Amino acid sequence: MMLRGLAFNPKILHFSPSLPLFSLNSPSFSSRLPSFSGRKNSILQAQGLGFKSENQLGTTMDLGKEVPELNRNLYPPIEPYSSGFLKVSDLHSIYWELSGNPNGHPVVFIHGGPGGGTSPSNRTFFDPDFYRIILFDQRGAGKSTPHACLVDNTTWDLVNDIEKLREHLEIPEWQVFGGSWGSTLALAYSQSHPDKVTGMVLRGIFLLRKKELDWFYEGGAAAIYPDAWEPFRDLIPENERDCLIDAYHKRLNSDDMEIQYAAARAWTKWEMMTAHLLPNEENIKKGDDDKFSLAFARIENHYFVNKGFFPSDSFLLDNIEKIRHINATIVQGRYDMCCPIMTAWDLHKAWPEADFKIVPDAGHSANEPGIAAELVAANEKLKNIIKNGGP
């Protein structure tokens, strides 16, 4: 249905589960169109125009009741109050840290890559007075040891590590937050341990399907970023370009460390140059950091060559039923080149109960203003549900 002369709030496109889709095209209407989200019976109303989902005919929201404004601003930087290493196998030890309120509601941050590691800014998505914030570096990433190691490093090893960390910290259940590869691992963990998850916030959805890898590593995103693509492609001789992931795998596992480093820099820079809607020089410089690049590129490539260690291409979508009951928000940048919106859309269709928010002026990174605002707001909504029994 097309409503000409009307528009959604330009900061967010919000799909609620019971609402048919509208195309709303003029910015003049944005200030008059509030978004109300609910789990089962959502309603979209424009004051004076009376749009209403048919599922709400008997349960119309009381417009006289004030809906609390959610904070959308990042919280100030904080330092951990505790940190350590957990030995999760004979070979691997993972770094973990705690910040925020020691008695607060636990939330675990699952970083991207795989191989990306955590950073101090990851703590700022959460209210430190309410949340007990848990960050950890996955096997081979960040401060975890051994660095850039691929031995005994699979999705299911990481799922087990998250459980071991939860038990080590004596946390009965926790909120799960993850973006990009972090969304993949968050889904895999939550589907394996749904009884331990109180809520989910997912961003830049990546399900590690063949069509997603082909888009980014076999020429799809290259149509938008040819200047970034050609140095990535040209490291590989023409006779090996039929599968660039395999060609890079050979070099990232070479006996010659200089070959490894050269491949790692090219692999990392390609992703960093495409991660923001507007170029971010600080992010791009990560491609010149050999220590970061080696773990990032080797571990990513290892997982991609092995198809995420999933038994089927659609494994995570096929198991949504296990987490359908969990309060969740999906945040997706419209112009995400690394994890294109087609994947978030597929997840939304499989899981319409989750709130789905498209940020129209953003790419992939969690640090882009529009995405960061929606991630904070999603955490605030879950906080209110825990505190008050409602959004």
Side-chain angles (χ1 to χ4, degrees):
M1 178 177 182
M2 178 70 76
L3 301 177
R4 300 196 180 277
L6 307 180
F8 55 80
N9 186 318
K11 293 182 179 178
I12 186 65
L13 181 58
H14 176 204
F15 294 94
S16 292
S18 61
L19 181 70
L21 301 182
F22 294 91
S23 176
L24 304 171
N25 295 325
S26 164
S28 64
F29 187 57
S30 62
S31 63
R32 297 167 54 198
L33 186 56
S35 174
F36 303 100
S37 65
R39 295 294 300 159
K40 297 291 185 184
N41 297 313
S42 298
I43 181 170
L44 174 65
Q45 286 201 343
Q47 291 175 346
L49 293 178
F51 299 122
K52 187 185 303 182
S53 69
E54 61 185 18
N55 292 352
Q56 283 290 338
L57 290 177
T59 55
T60 300
M61 180 178 290
D62 179 6
L63 295 180
K65 184 178 179 181
E66 212 172 294
V67 177
E69 183 85 19
L70 295 175
N71 173 49
R72 302 166 63 83
N73 298 314
L74 291 168
Y75 284 92
I78 54 173
E79 293 299 317
Y81 63 80
S82 181
S83 64
F85 287 85
L86 176 64
K87 191 168 180 60
V88 291
S89 77
D90 291 340
L91 178 62
H92 289 275
S93 293
I94 61 170
Y95 169 79
W96 58 266
E97 63 170 57
L98 306 177
S99 58
N101 182 350
N103 299 311
H105 185 78
V107 58
V108 60
F109 180 98
I110 302 181
H111 69 68
T118 56
S119 65
S121 63
N122 300 150
R123 307 169 195 140
T124 62
F125 293 109
F126 312 97
D127 179 352
D129 292 330
F130 179 79
Y131 281 110
R132 181 185 182 191
I133 305 160
I134 300 104
L135 271 57
F136 75 100
D137 290 332
Q138 296 158 31
R139 294 190 181 199
K143 298 177 183 178
S144 294
T145 60
H147 183 71
C149 179
L150 307 183
V151 177
D152 298 332
N153 196 338
T154 74
T155 302
W156 305 112
D157 289 319
L158 302 186
V159 167
N160 290 336
D161 291 351
I162 297 171
E163 261 303 271
K164 289 175 183 176
L165 181 60
R166 185 189 63 77
E167 292 170 354
H168 174 70
L169 297 175
E170 299 181 343
I171 293 171
E173 56 184 12
W174 51 9
Q175 184 174 313
V176 175
F177 181 108
S180 193
W181 158 256
S183 74
T184 321
L185 186 53
L187 286 165
Y189 170 77
S190 299
Q191 290 175 3
S192 299
H193 302 281
D195 57 319
K196 302 299 188 291
V197 180
T198 63
M200 300 176 69
V201 177
L202 306 174
R203 184 268 313 168
I205 305 304
F206 181 43
L207 301 179
L208 227 151
R209 297 174 297 175
K210 183 180 184 301
K211 68 178 182 179
E212 298 167 43
L213 296 175
D214 287 349
W215 159 263
F216 195 64
Y217 292 107
E218 301 299 336
I224 313 299
Y225 285 95
D227 50 335
W229 169 257
E230 290 187 6
F232 172 75
R233 179 200 63 192
D234 292 349
L235 186 79
I236 306 301
E238 286 190 30
N239 64 350
E240 291 185 61
R241 291 181 189 169
D242 56 323
C243 180
L244 290 176
I245 291 178
D246 287 345
Y248 268 89
H249 185 261
K250 175 182 173 182
R251 287 155 180 82
L252 289 167
N253 291 277
S254 169
D255 292 334
D256 186 332
M257 285 305 300
E258 287 308 311
I259 291 175
Q260 281 198 36
Y261 281 126
R265 286 192 292 268
W267 178 283
T268 303
K269 191 160 285 191
W270 161 238
E271 184 161 338
M272 297 303 152
M273 290 181 74
T274 55
H276 289 74
L277 180 62
L278 301 176
N280 183 292
E281 290 302 322
E282 183 179 348
N283 205 53
I284 293 169
K285 286 178 183 175
K286 289 182 179 179
D288 296 321
D289 180 336
D290 281 346
K291 183 178 180 182
F292 174 85
S293 290
L294 193 66
F296 186 78
R298 274 173 54 83
I299 298 172
E300 270 201 347
N301 179 274
H302 167 67
Y303 274 71
F304 299 166
V305 163
N306 287 287
K307 300 177 175 60
F309 302 94
F310 293 120
S312 67
D313 200 48
S314 59
F315 179 80
L316 294 174
L317 289 177
D318 293 342
N319 284 277
I320 288 297
E321 198 60 41
K322 296 177 180 178
I323 58 172
R324 193 174 299 281
H325 63 286
I326 297 174
N327 281 298
T329 297
I330 300 164
V331 177
Q332 178 71 34
R334 169 67 74 183
Y335 299 106
D336 188 333
M337 291 295 113
C338 303
C339 299
I341 195 172
M342 64 179 179
T343 302
W345 186 252
D346 288 345
L347 180 60
H348 163 62
K349 289 191 295 183
W351 194 9
E353 294 84 1
D355 284 347
F356 181 39
K357 305 200 174 188
I358 297 173
V359 183
D361 56 352
H364 180 67
S365 174
N367 298 318
E368 295 184 69
I371 291 181
E374 291 306 323
L375 293 174
V376 172
N379 286 324
E380 294 293 294
K381 179 182 175 184
L382 290 176
K383 177 179 80 175
N384 289 345
I385 289 172
I386 294 163
K387 288 173 67 174
N388 308 319

